[in-house]
Amino acid sequence: MPSSTDHLPDTAHEELSFLATCPRSMETLLSEELTGLGANIARTSVSSVHGSATRDVLYRLCLWSRLANRIILVAGRFEDVEDGPSLVAASHSIEWQTLIAPGASLRVDFHGESAQIRHTRFGAQCVKDGVVDRFQDHGLARPTIDPGAADLRLYAHLHRGRLVLGIDLSGDSLHLRGYRLEGANAPLKENLAAALLVRAGWPARATRGESLFDPMCGSGTLLIEATLMACDVAPNLARPRFGFHGWAGHDDTLWQEVHGEAAHRARVGRRECRLTLCGRDHNQRAIEAARANAGRAGVEQLLHLEYADALSAPPTMAPGLVITNPPYGERLGELPALISLYQGLGALLREHFVGWSVALLTGDPKLGHRLGMKAHRQYAFKNGSLDTKLLLIDVHERARPERQENEQEQRATQESDNAGAVTHSAGAQMFANRLRKNQKRLSKWLKRSGVECYRLYDADMPEYALAIDIYGAWVHVQEYAAPRSIDAGQAERRLLEAVGVLPEVLNVSADYIFLKRRERQSGRAQYERRDSTGQRFQVGEGSAKLWVNLRDYLDTGLFLDHRPVRRWLFENAAGKRVLNLFCYTATASVQAALGGASESLSIDMSNTYLGWAEDNFRLNRLDMSRHRLMREDCMAWLERTGPQFDLIFMDPPTFSNSKKMDNVLDIQRDHAHMIDRAMAHLAPGGTLLFSNNLRRFKMDESVSERFEVKALSKQMLDPDFERRPDIHHVYQIRHQTD
């Protein structure tokens, strides 16, 4: 196993080999920064920069680097390290006794793997064994191993048989400046915030005296890092201890000189700083955290922090840099609010920040298009495990025509110049027009019927494949998954366009819009939980009050297309015994009970939905002693001899292979048998209302031979579903009479 041990001289002016680690995508920036601090850079690799520096420069790197995670003094590099014995041998060959201060406790940070070394703990153990053996071979006391609070960290990195060993001069990661003890949601790491500021040109802007504004500052990391840069404050000036304090080669006199110089520069910088740096957030706790963090960083007097909405008019400032990190919206359901936020932010920038530059970090560059401004440059960054883009935008004053050909064009231009106006694409405008047309078409029916939960749009335009349902004050949007023939990027762009016009057309806040993606489902997947907010809303249907959940499940608890079926049950249930099979949230049973049913039994396999059903009954103050709920496999229940009912409603799923069922359910194959068994529970003169949502469903002829069957599908469609006559099939089935 060939090896090499780097020469570690005693002279303060001789070069020592080091590597600096950083988050991925920041290597070039870090290389430039370390060069500026006096290091000699040899090369960069993924998440690291390699070079050499004197002791005083190494101290400066630890003290001044705003971008690095760690500064590692390289003790040795090795090839062909593949297993535990070779790892121990490599570690044993290092003269650790000359590197580790007497009495210093140790920990080993191991990174990487090989075919034989698959666990970092095993790798760290092998390195530790080599260190201990080296000390014992020289008759020295075995060093203390302290994984929790060691005086010195040893660094080991193994990749494709190449091993790097060294000591960590940083101690804790350098991104931990010490000021951020309080954070808002998903705060940026300090070195990522610094990298964004560098990419946005803030150091040069600060020198020119420009202002800085963050309209969504959270716990203030971007603002604090910007202030430290502007005031020439070393980011780790307040750190009480570094890893090099446990290094045998540490020169404390030299360190005090480096630290004293930095302390002097900080005092001068803070005293002479005249910049305007302002941040705001709509979360009061975030602003309180930002103030506390700024206080610990020693810059609270230089920052103006205020509790305010991001989209409200900003304070008066000289032009400079707007930099911000809006929410990313990792979940599809968060997209409507984000689209509205980006559109509002774009309007704010065009209205109040002409002549400024903008740096915006986004998890979805397509959202950046909703600003209505084009980025002249983009940079990729990793924020933890998330891929993000920093968009750099210059805000120019929009050209306005000097003359208008007619008064109508002039009014349109004036309206588009309003702060809240958003320019939509031709396709999005057509989509908006279709929504308005549907609103007008349904308005008389809605007013006459009093319906408050209805379908407004159902993929009327193939390019915008959405189902849009109104639930009182709330909007439920389902995106139909695009076929593979449709470009994914184009489909996402159209989704953003469509969702972007909804607040304007429907006159509703984006916070009241819930977005989901509807794909082909198997079994009871459509009923499975997607989120766990427990956020429910009360809606009305006729005389019933019902709970809906628009976020946590694919379906909401109320099937809108079955509204006429529930109305029929309400009108025909008086004095009858009612059975509801596959009852879901029992909205049909509630309507039957409100219509005067003498008693009812509702059966489903899900405890969750039966609990929801009970809440619906109690919301309407119905007697639970007469209206019972049962957890049971409906197929199994039908096979048993049981009570008779005057009215049975059966709406089974199209297909189900639930583990709770004894058999697989296929509605086309099994419906004749299911109907036959249900009719065994139907009293003479009673009615079975059978429904399903299989688009190509065909009733088995044997059913019509044994029973009186009447198709009611057309009668069971309200105007909001007239475009989809095959959305469900409904049959009235009765016993034959002589």
Side-chain angles (χ1 to χ4, degrees):
M1 177 186 65
S3 68
S4 65
T5 302
D6 288 78
H7 180 54
L8 301 174
D10 295 328
T11 307
H13 300 292
E14 293 194 49
E15 298 280 318
L16 301 174
S17 178
F18 79 92
L19 69 87
T21 65
C22 65
R24 183 174 295 190
S25 74
M26 287 168 50
E27 299 88 350
T28 301
L29 286 178
L30 177 59
S31 177
E32 294 171 356
E33 179 193 53
L34 299 185
T35 299
L37 292 172
N40 297 310
I41 303 304
R43 63 185 177 89
T44 63
S45 59
V46 177
S47 299
S48 61
V49 175
H50 304 257
S52 62
T54 58
R55 274 177 174 75
D56 61 326
V57 171
L58 289 174
Y59 290 147
R60 286 189 175 88
L61 302 188
C62 292
L63 188 61
W64 281 95
S65 178
R66 303 182 191 277
L67 307 178
N69 282 333
R70 299 186 181 278
I71 305 297
I72 307 298
L73 179 67
V74 177
R77 294 184 173 90
F78 304 86
E79 300 286 343
D80 302 323
V81 177
E82 299 289 350
D83 54 19
S86 61
L87 184 53
V88 173
S91 177
H92 182 267
S93 68
I94 301 293
E95 296 182 359
W96 295 111
Q97 71 280 5
T98 66
L99 297 173
I100 301 171
S105 58
L106 307 177
R107 65 171 286 176
V108 179
D109 296 327
F110 185 89
H111 311 271
E113 62 180 4
S114 69
Q116 287 77 35
I117 304 171
R118 300 182 180 180
H119 303 286
T120 56
R121 183 176 297 181
F122 174 69
Q125 181 68 36
C126 291
V127 173
K128 186 266 295 180
D129 289 344
V131 174
V132 170
D133 291 347
R134 184 77 186 194
F135 270 75
Q136 291 178 338
D137 287 351
H138 286 73
L140 301 174
R142 174 191 178 105
T144 301
I145 306 299
D146 185 354
D151 298 320
L152 185 65
R153 295 171 180 251
L154 303 186
Y155 172 88
H157 184 267
L158 178 63
H159 180 65
R160 295 183 178 178
R162 295 176 180 175
L163 174 68
V164 178
L165 292 173
I167 62 174
D168 186 345
L169 301 180
S170 315
D172 290 331
S173 177
L174 295 176
H175 85 273
L176 299 171
R177 318 287 204 225
Y179 63 75
R180 199 176 73 186
L181 302 184
E182 301 177 57
N185 291 333
L188 290 174
K189 284 188 175 181
E190 294 87 332
N191 55 349
L192 175 56
L196 302 179
L197 288 159
V198 171
R199 278 298 189 204
W202 171 244
R205 294 176 183 276
T207 301
R208 296 194 296 266
E210 295 187 13
S211 301
L212 185 139
F213 178 59
D214 184 351
M216 291 170 276
C217 69
S219 57
T221 307
L222 279 167
L223 287 167
I224 294 170
E225 290 294 319
T227 309
L228 295 176
M229 289 181 180
C231 296
D232 196 26
V233 177
N236 281 295
L237 182 64
R239 180 176 290 217
R241 192 181 190 284
F242 289 83
F244 56 68
H245 286 102
W247 173 34
H250 173 52
D251 184 337
D252 196 60
T253 300
L254 184 61
W255 161 242
Q256 293 301 330
E257 292 177 4
V258 172
H259 188 272
E261 175 195 11
H264 173 71
R265 289 170 59 177
R267 287 192 294 272
V268 173
R270 287 192 178 103
R271 184 173 63 245
E272 297 182 353
C273 182
R274 297 292 184 270
L275 299 182
T276 302
L277 300 103
C278 179
R280 60 168 44 160
D281 202 280
H282 72 286
N283 187 322
Q284 181 68 51
R285 294 181 62 184
I287 289 297
E288 292 171 358
R291 289 196 177 108
N293 292 337
R296 282 184 287 270
V299 297
E300 72 276 15
Q301 300 302 320
L302 304 174
L303 288 177
H304 176 66
L305 297 168
E306 60 182 24
Y307 167 54
D309 186 87
L311 304 183
S312 58
T316 302
M317 293 180 287
L321 176 67
V322 176
I323 186 166
T324 194
N325 175 36
Y328 295 163
E330 298 172 55
R331 298 176 179 175
L332 184 67
E334 299 166 346
L335 197 56
L338 282 184
I339 293 173
S340 179
L341 174 64
Y342 273 73
Q343 291 178 167
L345 184 59
L348 176 79
L349 294 172
R350 291 191 299 272
E351 181 73 13
H352 296 286
F353 291 92
V354 173
W356 288 61
S357 295
V358 178
L360 184 144
L361 187 68
T362 178
D364 185 353
K366 293 184 178 63
L367 276 173
H369 297 317
R370 310 313 300 168
L371 293 169
M373 296 178 289
K374 186 176 181 180
H376 63 80
R377 188 162 296 176
Q378 298 184 19
Y379 292 101
F381 283 96
K382 277 281 190 181
N383 186 3
S385 62
L386 298 176
D387 292 314
T388 62
K389 287 286 183 67
L390 179 68
L391 309 180
L392 300 184
I393 303 167
D394 291 330
V395 186
H396 302 290
E397 186 170 6
R398 292 188 296 173
R400 300 169 188 245
E402 296 180 2
R403 298 174 57 189
Q404 301 293 340
E405 293 185 2
N406 55 60
E407 186 177 331
Q408 182 179 4
E409 287 187 6
Q410 187 173 6
R411 284 199 305 269
T413 301
Q414 290 172 347
E415 290 173 359
S416 69
D417 287 336
N418 291 338
V422 178
T423 302
H424 300 302
S425 69
Q429 193 60 55
M430 290 176 61
F431 173 75
N433 291 340
R434 177 56 66 94
L435 292 181
R436 294 188 179 100
K437 180 180 178 180
N438 289 356
Q439 284 179 314
K440 184 177 181 180
R441 177 176 62 86
L442 296 174
S443 59
K444 291 183 179 179
W445 166 69
L446 292 172
K447 185 176 181 180
R448 182 176 65 253
S449 65
V451 169
E452 66 175 73
C453 302
Y454 60 95
R455 178 151 296 181
L456 176 64
Y457 175 93
D458 197 350
D460 301 25
M461 301 167 62
E463 300 87 350
Y464 297 90
L466 307 171
I468 301 176
D469 297 326
I470 308 300
Y471 286 83
W474 300 276
V475 182
H476 184 251
V477 182
Q478 299 178 84
E479 180 198 14
Y480 296 118
R484 294 181 180 178
S485 59
I486 300 297
D487 177 70
Q490 187 180 51
E492 183 176 1
R493 177 180 59 80
R494 287 173 175 167
L495 174 65
L496 296 179
E497 289 179 344
V499 175
V501 306
L502 291 179
E504 174 188 335
V505 174
L506 304 180
N507 192 28
V508 63
S509 167
D511 293 332
Y512 281 60
I513 300 174
F514 299 84
L515 176 62
K516 300 169 186 172
R517 176 170 287 120
R518 193 172 194 102
E519 301 174 292
R520 186 177 182 87
Q521 305 297 322
S522 61
R524 294 179 63 85
Q526 72 187 86
Y527 307 115
E528 292 177 357
R529 186 184 294 272
R530 304 299 174 96
D531 208 336
S532 55
T533 65
Q535 187 178 19
R536 299 194 303 184
F537 305 104
Q538 187 183 130
V539 297
E541 183 180 81
S543 60
K545 293 180 288 185
L546 303 167
W547 289 112
V548 295
N549 185 320
L550 306 184
R551 185 183 298 278
D552 292 349
Y553 304 86
L554 183 60
D555 285 311
T556 65
L558 181 64
F559 295 132
L560 297 186
D561 62 303
H562 277 160
R563 183 191 319 108
V565 176
R566 292 188 292 272
R567 187 165 59 241
W568 188 95
L569 290 168
F570 174 83
E571 294 169 352
N572 291 274
K576 295 179 180 176
R577 299 164 294 171
V578 177
L579 171 64
N580 185 358
L581 297 165
F582 307 96
C583 73
Y584 189 37
T585 58
T587 54
S589 303
V590 168
Q591 290 287 11
L594 291 173
S598 60
E599 61 179 271
S600 69
L601 173 62
S602 303
I603 304 176
D604 199 278
M605 288 191 298
S606 169
N607 281 326
T608 298
Y609 290 115
L610 289 176
W612 195 334
E614 182 175 349
D615 291 343
N616 280 334
F617 275 108
R618 295 194 184 282
L619 183 62
N620 290 275
R621 299 183 179 180
L622 294 168
D623 185 354
M624 296 300 295
S625 66
R626 294 194 300 117
H627 301 287
R628 296 180 296 124
L629 300 168
M630 177 185 293
R631 182 178 181 273
E632 179 91 43
D633 176 359
C634 291
M635 299 288 287
W637 187 90
L638 284 171
E639 296 298 328
R640 299 197 299 268
T641 301
Q644 298 255 303
F645 296 87
D646 306 306
L647 182 56
I648 300 176
F649 175 52
M650 183 165 61
D651 179 36
T654 298
F655 177 86
S656 180
N657 57 358
S658 170
K659 295 179 181 178
K660 299 176 182 178
M661 295 178 60
D662 295 332
N663 299 297
V664 173
L665 169 62
D666 181 322
I667 192 60
Q668 183 61 64
R669 181 193 66 196
D670 300 330
H671 73 275
H673 178 73
M674 292 175 62
I675 291 172
D676 188 63
R677 297 308 307 152
M679 295 299 288
H681 293 271
L682 184 67
T687 300
L688 166 64
L689 205 62
F690 172 71
S691 172
N692 73 81
N693 289 79
L694 178 62
R695 296 291 171 84
R696 299 181 180 180
F697 177 78
K698 298 293 182 182
M699 177 67 78
D700 193 300
E701 293 181 1
S702 65
V703 177
S704 299
E705 293 171 358
R706 296 194 301 275
F707 309 107
E708 293 180 0
V709 179
K710 181 180 180 181
L712 298 179
S713 300
K714 291 183 179 180
Q715 295 94 307
M716 295 298 181
L717 282 176
D718 274 345
D720 53 333
F721 283 96
E722 286 179 347
R723 290 189 69 256
R724 298 281 294 276
D726 61 347
I727 194 168
H728 60 222
H729 303 272
V730 184
Y731 299 88
Q732 175 183 287
I733 305 175
R734 291 174 173 165
H735 292 293
Q736 290 184 347
T737 58
D738 295 335

